[in-house]
Amino acid sequence: MNIEQGRTAYSAETLPDSELYIGAGWRKGARGRTAAVTNPATGRPIGDVALAEAEDLADAVAAGEAGFQSWRRMSAFQRAAILRRAAALLRERADVMARRITLEQGKPLREATAEIHFSAEVLDWFADEGRRTYGRIIPARANDVTARATMEPLGLIAGFTPWNYPVGQAVRKIAIALAAGCSIIVKVAEETPSAAVEMVRAFIDAGVPPGVLQLVYGDPAQLSAFLIACPEVRAISFTGSTAVGKTLTGLAGQHLKRCVMELGGHAPALVLADADVDAAAASLAGDKFHNAGQACISPTRLLVARGVVDRFTAAFVDRAWAVRVGNGLDATTTMGPLANARRVIALSRLVEDAVAQGARLLCGGAGGPSEHGHFFLPTVLAEVPPTARILHEEPFGPVAIINAVADVQEALIEANRLPYALAAYGWSRNATDIDAMQRHLRAGMVSLNHNGLGYPEVPFGGILDSGFGDEGGPEALREMMYTRFLSIRSPQ
Protein backbone atom coordinates (compact mmCIF):
# COMPACT_ATOMS: atom_id res chain seq x y z
CA MET A 1 0.00 0.00 0.00
CA ASN A 2 2.09 2.86 -1.34
CA ILE A 3 0.40 6.25 -1.72
CA GLU A 4 3.42 7.99 -3.20
CA GLN A 5 2.76 6.43 -6.62
CA GLY A 6 1.75 8.94 -9.27
CA ARG A 7 1.12 11.99 -7.09
CA THR A 8 2.82 14.54 -9.32
CA ALA A 9 2.80 12.99 -12.78
CA TYR A 10 -0.58 14.45 -13.74
CA SER A 11 -0.73 17.49 -11.47
CA ALA A 12 -0.86 20.01 -14.31
CA GLU A 13 -3.87 18.55 -16.13
CA THR A 14 -7.05 20.68 -16.13
CA LEU A 15 -10.60 20.40 -17.44
CA PRO A 16 -12.90 22.80 -19.33
CA ASP A 17 -15.26 24.79 -17.14
CA SER A 18 -18.66 23.11 -16.75
CA GLU A 19 -21.80 25.03 -17.69
CA LEU A 20 -25.50 24.44 -17.11
CA TYR A 21 -27.55 22.83 -19.86
CA ILE A 22 -31.03 24.40 -19.87
CA GLY A 23 -33.59 24.18 -22.64
CA ALA A 24 -31.50 23.78 -25.78
CA GLY A 25 -28.27 25.47 -24.78
CA TRP A 26 -25.25 25.65 -22.51
CA ARG A 27 -24.96 28.69 -20.29
CA LYS A 28 -23.45 30.14 -17.15
CA GLY A 29 -25.54 30.75 -14.06
CA ALA A 30 -27.71 33.89 -14.06
CA ARG A 31 -25.39 35.65 -11.61
CA GLY A 32 -22.14 34.21 -12.95
CA ARG A 33 -21.27 32.40 -9.73
CA THR A 34 -18.91 29.41 -9.93
CA ALA A 35 -17.27 26.87 -7.66
CA ALA A 36 -13.84 25.31 -8.01
CA VAL A 37 -13.45 21.66 -9.02
CA THR A 38 -10.50 19.91 -7.37
CA ASN A 39 -8.51 16.83 -8.32
CA PRO A 40 -8.65 14.62 -5.19
CA ALA A 41 -5.36 12.94 -6.08
CA THR A 42 -3.44 16.22 -5.99
CA GLY A 43 -5.62 18.58 -3.98
CA ARG A 44 -5.28 21.14 -6.77
CA PRO A 45 -8.05 22.96 -8.68
CA ILE A 46 -8.64 21.70 -12.23
CA GLY A 47 -11.62 23.79 -13.36
CA ASP A 48 -14.79 25.62 -12.39
CA VAL A 49 -18.46 24.72 -12.39
CA ALA A 50 -21.34 27.14 -12.96
CA LEU A 51 -23.89 27.47 -10.15
CA ALA A 52 -27.59 27.73 -10.94
CA GLU A 53 -29.81 30.46 -9.52
CA ALA A 54 -33.58 30.54 -9.09
CA GLU A 55 -33.89 32.22 -12.49
CA ASP A 56 -32.02 29.34 -14.15
CA LEU A 57 -34.16 26.75 -12.41
CA ALA A 58 -37.38 28.51 -13.42
CA ASP A 59 -36.20 28.39 -17.04
CA ALA A 60 -35.33 24.72 -16.67
CA VAL A 61 -38.74 23.85 -15.25
CA ALA A 62 -40.53 25.67 -18.07
CA ALA A 63 -38.37 23.95 -20.68
CA GLY A 64 -38.78 20.60 -18.91
CA GLU A 65 -42.57 20.83 -18.99
CA ALA A 66 -42.51 21.68 -22.70
CA GLY A 67 -40.02 18.89 -23.33
CA PHE A 68 -42.25 16.40 -21.54
CA GLN A 69 -45.22 17.26 -23.71
CA SER A 70 -43.23 16.49 -26.88
CA TRP A 71 -41.38 13.44 -25.51
CA ARG A 72 -44.51 11.73 -24.16
CA ARG A 73 -46.10 11.91 -27.62
CA MET A 74 -43.14 10.18 -29.23
CA SER A 75 -43.65 6.42 -29.59
CA ALA A 76 -41.83 4.09 -27.24
CA PHE A 77 -40.02 2.66 -30.27
CA GLN A 78 -38.73 6.10 -31.25
CA ARG A 79 -37.63 6.85 -27.71
CA ALA A 80 -35.84 3.50 -27.51
CA ALA A 81 -33.94 4.19 -30.71
CA ILE A 82 -32.68 7.52 -29.34
CA LEU A 83 -31.61 5.96 -26.04
CA ARG A 84 -29.76 3.20 -27.87
CA ARG A 85 -27.93 5.82 -29.96
CA ALA A 86 -26.96 7.58 -26.73
CA ALA A 87 -25.60 4.28 -25.38
CA ALA A 88 -23.52 3.81 -28.51
CA LEU A 89 -22.10 7.32 -28.15
CA LEU A 90 -21.18 6.67 -24.52
CA ARG A 91 -19.18 3.67 -25.64
CA GLU A 92 -17.48 5.65 -28.42
CA ARG A 93 -16.53 8.45 -26.03
CA ALA A 94 -15.67 6.27 -23.05
CA ASP A 95 -11.98 7.19 -22.99
CA VAL A 96 -12.64 10.94 -22.75
CA MET A 97 -15.40 10.58 -20.17
CA ALA A 98 -13.47 8.09 -18.05
CA ARG A 99 -10.47 10.39 -17.83
CA ARG A 100 -12.71 13.20 -16.63
CA ILE A 101 -14.20 10.95 -13.96
CA THR A 102 -10.74 10.02 -12.71
CA LEU A 103 -9.54 13.62 -12.64
CA GLU A 104 -12.60 14.81 -10.71
CA GLN A 105 -13.49 11.82 -8.53
CA GLY A 106 -10.20 9.94 -8.21
CA LYS A 107 -11.10 6.34 -9.05
CA PRO A 108 -8.66 4.32 -11.20
CA LEU A 109 -9.06 4.84 -14.92
CA ARG A 110 -10.06 1.21 -15.47
CA GLU A 111 -12.92 1.60 -12.97
CA ALA A 112 -14.00 4.85 -14.60
CA THR A 113 -14.00 3.21 -18.02
CA ALA A 114 -16.05 0.31 -16.69
CA GLU A 115 -18.54 2.82 -15.26
CA ILE A 116 -19.12 4.31 -18.72
CA HIS A 117 -19.59 0.94 -20.40
CA PHE A 118 -21.96 -0.22 -17.66
CA SER A 119 -23.91 3.02 -18.05
CA ALA A 120 -24.32 2.22 -21.75
CA GLU A 121 -25.62 -1.22 -20.78
CA VAL A 122 -28.15 0.39 -18.44
CA LEU A 123 -29.34 2.64 -21.27
CA ASP A 124 -29.72 -0.28 -23.67
CA TRP A 125 -31.76 -2.28 -21.17
CA PHE A 126 -34.16 0.52 -20.24
CA ALA A 127 -34.52 1.55 -23.88
CA ASP A 128 -35.95 -1.89 -24.60
CA GLU A 129 -37.92 -2.13 -21.36
CA GLY A 130 -39.61 1.16 -22.18
CA ARG A 131 -41.23 -0.65 -25.12
CA ARG A 132 -42.82 -3.11 -22.69
CA THR A 133 -44.74 -0.86 -20.30
CA TYR A 134 -47.81 -2.97 -20.86
CA GLY A 135 -51.30 -2.21 -19.64
CA ARG A 136 -54.13 -4.72 -19.43
CA ILE A 137 -57.69 -5.33 -20.53
CA ILE A 138 -60.07 -5.85 -17.62
CA PRO A 139 -63.20 -7.99 -18.10
CA ALA A 140 -66.08 -5.55 -17.87
CA ARG A 141 -69.42 -6.16 -16.20
CA ALA A 142 -71.40 -5.40 -19.33
CA ASN A 143 -70.97 -6.59 -22.90
CA ASP A 144 -70.97 -3.06 -24.32
CA VAL A 145 -68.23 -1.81 -21.96
CA THR A 146 -64.48 -1.92 -22.53
CA ALA A 147 -62.26 -1.46 -19.46
CA ARG A 148 -58.53 -1.11 -19.60
CA ALA A 149 -55.58 0.13 -17.57
CA THR A 150 -52.53 1.78 -19.11
CA MET A 151 -49.19 2.96 -17.74
CA GLU A 152 -48.61 6.68 -18.30
CA PRO A 153 -45.54 8.87 -17.62
CA LEU A 154 -45.70 11.07 -14.53
CA GLY A 155 -44.17 14.19 -16.08
CA LEU A 156 -41.09 16.24 -15.26
CA ILE A 157 -38.71 14.50 -12.82
CA ALA A 158 -36.07 16.09 -10.58
CA GLY A 159 -33.05 13.83 -10.16
CA PHE A 160 -30.29 14.37 -7.61
CA THR A 161 -27.06 12.37 -7.92
CA PRO A 162 -23.89 12.09 -5.79
CA TRP A 163 -20.20 12.17 -6.67
CA ASN A 164 -19.24 8.51 -6.21
CA TYR A 165 -20.45 7.39 -9.67
CA PRO A 166 -20.69 10.68 -11.58
CA VAL A 167 -21.98 9.15 -14.81
CA GLY A 168 -23.40 5.84 -13.62
CA GLN A 169 -25.82 7.31 -11.11
CA ALA A 170 -27.00 10.04 -13.46
CA VAL A 171 -27.47 7.71 -16.43
CA ARG A 172 -29.58 5.33 -14.37
CA LYS A 173 -31.99 8.12 -13.40
CA ILE A 174 -32.03 9.53 -16.93
CA ALA A 175 -32.58 6.13 -18.54
CA ILE A 176 -35.51 5.31 -16.26
CA ALA A 177 -37.19 8.69 -16.68
CA LEU A 178 -36.77 8.91 -20.45
CA ALA A 179 -37.73 5.28 -21.08
CA ALA A 180 -40.92 5.90 -19.10
CA GLY A 181 -41.73 8.92 -21.28
CA CYS A 182 -40.82 11.58 -18.70
CA SER A 183 -38.48 14.55 -18.93
CA ILE A 184 -35.83 15.13 -16.26
CA ILE A 185 -33.71 17.84 -14.69
CA VAL A 186 -30.57 16.24 -13.25
CA LYS A 187 -28.67 17.98 -10.50
CA VAL A 188 -25.22 16.36 -10.28
CA ALA A 189 -22.56 16.89 -7.64
CA GLU A 190 -20.52 20.06 -7.94
CA GLU A 191 -17.36 18.02 -7.25
CA THR A 192 -17.80 15.97 -10.45
CA PRO A 193 -19.48 18.03 -13.19
CA SER A 194 -17.26 17.60 -16.23
CA ALA A 195 -17.96 13.96 -17.01
CA ALA A 196 -21.68 14.71 -16.68
CA VAL A 197 -21.32 17.43 -19.31
CA GLU A 198 -19.93 14.90 -21.79
CA MET A 199 -22.68 12.46 -20.84
CA VAL A 200 -25.36 15.05 -21.63
CA ARG A 201 -23.66 15.84 -24.95
CA ALA A 202 -24.05 12.18 -25.89
CA PHE A 203 -27.81 12.37 -25.29
CA ILE A 204 -28.09 15.61 -27.26
CA ASP A 205 -26.14 14.17 -30.17
CA ALA A 206 -28.32 11.05 -30.06
CA GLY A 207 -31.41 13.18 -30.70
CA VAL A 208 -32.99 13.85 -27.31
CA PRO A 209 -35.19 16.93 -27.92
CA PRO A 210 -34.69 20.25 -26.08
CA GLY A 211 -36.07 20.33 -22.56
CA VAL A 212 -36.24 16.56 -22.17
CA LEU A 213 -32.88 16.33 -20.38
CA GLN A 214 -31.32 19.26 -18.53
CA LEU A 215 -28.25 19.52 -16.31
CA VAL A 216 -27.76 21.84 -13.34
CA TYR A 217 -25.43 22.32 -10.38
CA GLY A 218 -25.59 24.56 -7.36
CA ASP A 219 -26.39 24.77 -3.68
CA PRO A 220 -28.08 21.42 -2.92
CA ALA A 221 -30.53 22.77 -0.34
CA GLN A 222 -31.64 25.70 -2.51
CA LEU A 223 -31.96 23.66 -5.69
CA SER A 224 -33.91 20.84 -4.06
CA ALA A 225 -36.27 23.22 -2.25
CA PHE A 226 -36.99 25.12 -5.46
CA LEU A 227 -37.52 22.09 -7.68
CA ILE A 228 -39.59 20.08 -5.22
CA ALA A 229 -41.95 23.02 -4.69
CA CYS A 230 -42.59 23.51 -8.42
CA PRO A 231 -45.97 22.05 -9.40
CA GLU A 232 -44.58 20.99 -12.79
CA VAL A 233 -42.12 18.63 -11.08
CA ARG A 234 -44.04 15.43 -10.43
CA ALA A 235 -41.47 13.13 -8.82
CA ILE A 236 -38.12 13.18 -7.03
CA SER A 237 -35.33 10.65 -7.49
CA PHE A 238 -32.49 11.05 -5.01
CA THR A 239 -29.32 9.10 -4.27
CA GLY A 240 -27.36 10.16 -1.23
CA SER A 241 -27.24 10.14 2.55
CA THR A 242 -30.09 9.05 4.78
CA ALA A 243 -30.15 12.41 6.57
CA VAL A 244 -30.59 14.39 3.35
CA GLY A 245 -33.03 11.82 2.00
CA LYS A 246 -35.29 12.25 5.02
CA THR A 247 -35.26 16.01 4.55
CA LEU A 248 -36.15 15.75 0.87
CA THR A 249 -38.87 13.19 1.56
CA GLY A 250 -40.40 15.62 4.05
CA LEU A 251 -40.34 18.43 1.48
CA ALA A 252 -41.83 16.17 -1.17
CA GLY A 253 -44.57 15.09 1.22
CA GLN A 254 -45.66 18.70 1.66
CA HIS A 255 -46.29 18.87 -2.09
CA LEU A 256 -47.54 15.28 -2.56
CA LYS A 257 -44.65 14.38 -4.85
CA ARG A 258 -43.70 10.79 -5.51
CA CYS A 259 -40.18 9.87 -4.33
CA VAL A 260 -37.52 7.30 -5.04
CA MET A 261 -34.92 7.39 -2.29
CA GLU A 262 -31.71 5.36 -2.62
CA LEU A 263 -30.00 6.14 0.67
CA GLY A 264 -27.18 5.00 2.91
CA GLY A 265 -26.17 1.47 3.77
CA HIS A 266 -23.94 -0.43 6.19
CA ALA A 267 -23.92 -3.77 4.45
CA PRO A 268 -23.31 -6.94 6.47
CA ALA A 269 -21.54 -9.93 4.93
CA LEU A 270 -21.94 -13.30 6.66
CA VAL A 271 -19.15 -15.85 6.16
CA LEU A 272 -20.28 -19.08 7.81
CA ALA A 273 -18.35 -22.13 8.93
CA ASP A 274 -18.57 -24.16 5.75
CA ALA A 275 -18.17 -21.25 3.30
CA ASP A 276 -15.57 -21.20 0.57
CA VAL A 277 -13.37 -18.94 2.67
CA ASP A 278 -10.83 -18.02 0.00
CA ALA A 279 -13.53 -17.17 -2.53
CA ALA A 280 -15.42 -15.13 0.07
CA ALA A 281 -12.30 -13.17 1.04
CA ALA A 282 -11.41 -12.45 -2.58
CA SER A 283 -14.93 -11.35 -3.51
CA LEU A 284 -15.59 -9.23 -0.44
CA ALA A 285 -12.19 -7.53 -0.55
CA GLY A 286 -12.69 -6.70 -4.21
CA ASP A 287 -16.10 -5.20 -3.45
CA LYS A 288 -14.88 -3.39 -0.33
CA PHE A 289 -11.97 -1.58 -1.97
CA HIS A 290 -13.67 -0.94 -5.31
CA ASN A 291 -14.09 2.83 -5.73
CA ALA A 292 -12.20 3.20 -2.43
CA GLY A 293 -15.22 1.77 -0.62
CA GLN A 294 -17.34 4.75 -1.67
CA ALA A 295 -20.41 2.75 -2.64
CA CYS A 296 -23.73 2.39 -0.84
CA ILE A 297 -23.70 -1.42 -1.24
CA SER A 298 -20.07 -1.86 -0.18
CA PRO A 299 -19.72 -4.73 2.36
CA THR A 300 -18.54 -3.28 5.68
CA ARG A 301 -19.55 -5.50 8.62
CA LEU A 302 -17.92 -8.88 7.93
CA LEU A 303 -19.46 -11.39 10.35
CA VAL A 304 -17.33 -14.52 10.25
CA ALA A 305 -17.82 -17.87 11.96
CA ARG A 306 -15.28 -18.36 14.75
CA GLY A 307 -13.98 -21.60 13.27
CA VAL A 308 -12.81 -19.88 10.08
CA VAL A 309 -12.29 -16.28 11.23
CA ASP A 310 -8.49 -16.53 11.44
CA ARG A 311 -8.19 -18.03 7.96
CA PHE A 312 -10.62 -15.53 6.48
CA THR A 313 -8.94 -12.59 8.19
CA ALA A 314 -5.50 -13.57 6.92
CA ALA A 315 -6.78 -13.92 3.36
CA PHE A 316 -8.70 -10.64 3.51
CA VAL A 317 -5.77 -8.69 4.98
CA ASP A 318 -3.48 -10.10 2.28
CA ARG A 319 -5.89 -8.69 -0.30
CA ALA A 320 -5.86 -5.31 1.45
CA TRP A 321 -2.05 -5.19 1.43
CA ALA A 322 -2.06 -6.00 -2.28
CA VAL A 323 -4.04 -2.86 -3.12
CA ARG A 324 -1.94 -0.21 -4.87
CA VAL A 325 -3.09 3.24 -3.80
CA GLY A 326 -2.29 6.21 -5.99
CA ASN A 327 -3.35 8.58 -8.72
CA GLY A 328 -6.11 6.92 -10.71
CA LEU A 329 -4.46 7.90 -14.00
CA ASP A 330 -1.47 5.70 -13.19
CA ALA A 331 -1.91 2.29 -14.84
CA THR A 332 -0.58 0.48 -11.76
CA THR A 333 -3.09 2.05 -9.35
CA THR A 334 -5.89 -0.20 -8.13
CA MET A 335 -7.45 2.24 -5.63
CA GLY A 336 -7.53 6.01 -5.90
CA PRO A 337 -8.00 8.71 -3.28
CA LEU A 338 -11.18 9.53 -1.45
CA ALA A 339 -13.32 12.09 -3.22
CA ASN A 340 -12.71 14.94 -0.81
CA ALA A 341 -10.99 15.96 2.43
CA ARG A 342 -14.25 15.58 4.38
CA ARG A 343 -14.20 11.83 3.83
CA VAL A 344 -10.61 11.51 5.06
CA ILE A 345 -11.44 13.38 8.26
CA ALA A 346 -14.64 11.39 8.87
CA LEU A 347 -12.95 8.01 8.33
CA SER A 348 -9.96 8.95 10.49
CA ARG A 349 -12.24 9.78 13.39
CA LEU A 350 -14.22 6.54 13.04
CA VAL A 351 -11.06 4.42 12.99
CA GLU A 352 -9.48 6.30 15.88
CA ASP A 353 -12.66 5.86 17.93
CA ALA A 354 -12.77 2.11 17.26
CA VAL A 355 -9.11 1.61 18.20
CA ALA A 356 -9.51 3.71 21.35
CA GLN A 357 -12.32 1.39 22.41
CA GLY A 358 -10.27 -1.76 21.93
CA ALA A 359 -10.53 -2.72 18.26
CA ARG A 360 -7.46 -4.28 16.65
CA LEU A 361 -6.04 -2.40 13.67
CA LEU A 362 -4.77 -5.08 11.27
CA CYS A 363 -3.69 -2.83 8.42
CA GLY A 364 -4.11 0.69 7.14
CA GLY A 365 -5.14 3.20 9.70
CA ALA A 366 -6.25 6.71 10.31
CA GLY A 367 -4.86 9.36 8.02
CA GLY A 368 -5.55 12.96 7.18
CA PRO A 369 -5.68 15.37 4.25
CA SER A 370 -2.29 16.28 2.86
CA GLU A 371 -0.96 18.62 0.25
CA HIS A 372 -0.80 15.67 -2.11
CA GLY A 373 -4.45 14.66 -2.06
CA HIS A 374 -7.10 12.83 -0.11
CA PHE A 375 -5.60 9.37 0.27
CA PHE A 376 -6.67 6.76 2.81
CA LEU A 377 -5.12 3.32 3.07
CA PRO A 378 -7.22 0.13 2.86
CA THR A 379 -8.03 -0.49 6.50
CA VAL A 380 -9.12 -3.62 8.36
CA LEU A 381 -10.39 -3.59 11.94
CA ALA A 382 -11.03 -6.70 14.02
CA GLU A 383 -12.78 -7.36 17.33
CA VAL A 384 -14.58 -4.06 17.14
CA PRO A 385 -16.66 -3.48 20.31
CA PRO A 386 -20.39 -2.81 19.95
CA THR A 387 -20.05 0.72 21.32
CA ALA A 388 -17.69 1.85 18.53
CA ARG A 389 -19.24 4.49 16.26
CA ILE A 390 -18.18 2.63 13.13
CA LEU A 391 -20.59 -0.19 13.98
CA HIS A 392 -23.44 2.33 13.89
CA GLU A 393 -22.39 4.88 11.26
CA GLU A 394 -21.74 4.13 7.60
CA PRO A 395 -18.00 4.69 6.98
CA PHE A 396 -18.37 5.09 3.19
CA GLY A 397 -14.73 4.38 2.56
CA PRO A 398 -12.10 1.61 2.40
CA VAL A 399 -12.59 0.34 5.96
CA ALA A 400 -13.73 -3.22 6.73
CA ILE A 401 -14.78 -4.62 10.11
CA ILE A 402 -14.17 -8.32 10.85
CA ASN A 403 -16.00 -9.64 13.91
CA ALA A 404 -16.42 -13.29 14.88
CA VAL A 405 -19.85 -14.88 15.39
CA ALA A 406 -20.86 -18.25 16.82
CA ASP A 407 -23.39 -19.31 14.20
CA VAL A 408 -25.87 -18.13 11.60
CA GLN A 409 -28.37 -17.03 14.23
CA GLU A 410 -25.91 -14.70 15.96
CA ALA A 411 -24.81 -13.41 12.58
CA LEU A 412 -28.40 -12.65 11.53
CA ILE A 413 -29.09 -10.77 14.75
CA GLU A 414 -26.08 -8.52 14.19
CA ALA A 415 -26.75 -8.17 10.47
CA ASN A 416 -30.31 -6.97 11.11
CA ARG A 417 -29.47 -4.75 14.09
CA LEU A 418 -29.12 -1.44 12.25
CA PRO A 419 -31.91 0.55 10.58
CA TYR A 420 -29.92 0.51 7.33
CA ALA A 421 -31.19 -2.22 5.03
CA LEU A 422 -29.94 -1.69 1.50
CA ALA A 423 -27.69 -4.68 0.72
CA ALA A 424 -26.55 -7.83 2.51
CA TYR A 425 -24.24 -10.66 1.54
CA GLY A 426 -23.73 -14.22 2.70
CA TRP A 427 -21.36 -17.10 2.07
CA SER A 428 -22.08 -20.75 2.89
CA ARG A 429 -22.25 -24.20 1.32
CA ASN A 430 -24.74 -25.48 3.89
CA ALA A 431 -28.31 -25.64 2.57
CA THR A 432 -29.85 -24.92 5.97
CA ASP A 433 -27.72 -21.83 6.52
CA ILE A 434 -28.35 -20.60 2.97
CA ASP A 435 -32.08 -20.99 3.57
CA ALA A 436 -31.81 -19.07 6.86
CA MET A 437 -29.96 -16.20 5.19
CA GLN A 438 -32.29 -15.92 2.21
CA ARG A 439 -35.31 -15.92 4.52
CA HIS A 440 -34.11 -13.70 7.33
CA LEU A 441 -31.50 -11.23 6.08
CA ARG A 442 -33.42 -7.95 6.23
CA ALA A 443 -32.40 -5.87 3.24
CA GLY A 444 -33.78 -4.67 -0.05
CA MET A 445 -31.10 -6.71 -1.87
CA VAL A 446 -29.45 -9.96 -0.77
CA SER A 447 -26.71 -11.81 -2.64
CA LEU A 448 -25.37 -15.19 -1.52
CA ASN A 449 -22.06 -16.78 -2.58
CA HIS A 450 -21.33 -14.00 -5.07
CA ASN A 451 -22.17 -10.36 -5.78
CA GLY A 452 -25.16 -10.28 -8.10
CA LEU A 453 -26.38 -6.76 -7.34
CA GLY A 454 -26.78 -3.69 -9.49
CA TYR A 455 -27.47 -5.11 -12.94
CA PRO A 456 -30.03 -3.08 -14.89
CA GLU A 457 -32.52 -5.95 -15.10
CA VAL A 458 -32.76 -6.55 -11.33
CA PRO A 459 -34.39 -4.41 -8.62
CA PHE A 460 -32.12 -1.92 -6.87
CA GLY A 461 -33.35 -0.32 -3.66
CA GLY A 462 -33.49 -0.53 0.09
CA ILE A 463 -35.93 -0.46 2.98
CA LEU A 464 -36.08 1.29 6.36
CA ASP A 465 -33.45 4.05 6.63
CA SER A 466 -31.94 2.96 3.31
CA GLY A 467 -34.89 4.41 1.44
CA PHE A 468 -37.69 3.16 -0.76
CA GLY A 469 -38.45 2.68 -4.42
CA ASP A 470 -36.45 0.92 -7.12
CA GLU A 471 -33.81 1.95 -9.64
CA GLY A 472 -33.52 -1.35 -11.45
CA GLY A 473 -35.68 -3.85 -13.31
CA PRO A 474 -39.23 -3.27 -14.54
CA GLU A 475 -40.07 -1.94 -11.08
CA ALA A 476 -37.96 1.16 -11.78
CA LEU A 477 -40.09 2.26 -14.72
CA ARG A 478 -43.24 1.99 -12.65
CA GLU A 479 -41.78 4.49 -10.18
CA MET A 480 -41.91 7.10 -12.96
CA MET A 481 -45.39 6.17 -14.23
CA TYR A 482 -48.95 6.05 -12.99
CA THR A 483 -51.81 3.68 -13.74
CA ARG A 484 -54.63 5.22 -15.78
CA PHE A 485 -57.96 3.40 -15.86
CA LEU A 486 -60.38 3.90 -18.75
CA SER A 487 -63.91 2.55 -19.03
CA ILE A 488 -65.87 3.10 -22.27
CA ARG A 489 -69.45 2.17 -23.02
CA SER A 490 -70.10 1.73 -26.74
CA PRO A 491 -72.61 4.23 -28.13
CA GLN A 492 -76.06 2.78 -28.83
Side-chain angles (χ1 to χ4, degrees), residues 51-77:
L51 302 179
E53 310 292 347
E55 303 95 310
D56 302 307
L57 298 178
D59 289 347
V61 169
E65 175 62 18
F68 168 61
Q69 296 303 329
S70 66
W71 186 248
R72 69 181 300 190
R73 293 186 180 94
M74 191 176 292
S75 76
F77 278 74

Side-chain angles (χ1 to χ4, degrees), residues 27 51 71 76 97 109 132 165 185 189 193 198 213 249 292 373:
R27 71 195 221 187
L51 302 179
W71 186 248
M97 297 174 69
L109 194 57
R132 294 188 286 269
Y165 294 94
I185 300 170
E198 288 305 305
L213 169 60
T249 300

Side-chain angles (χ1 to χ4, degrees), residues 36 182 395 425:
C182 299
Y425 305 90

Side-chain angles (χ1 to χ4, degrees), residues 369-380:
S370 75
E371 61 179 343
H372 302 295
H374 313 313
F375 291 94
F376 200 93
L377 294 173
T379 299
V380 182

Side-chain angles (χ1 to χ4, degrees), residues 13-24:
E13 191 161 354
T14 60
L15 291 171
D17 291 346
S18 299
E19 295 185 323
L20 314 172
Y21 184 72
I22 294 175

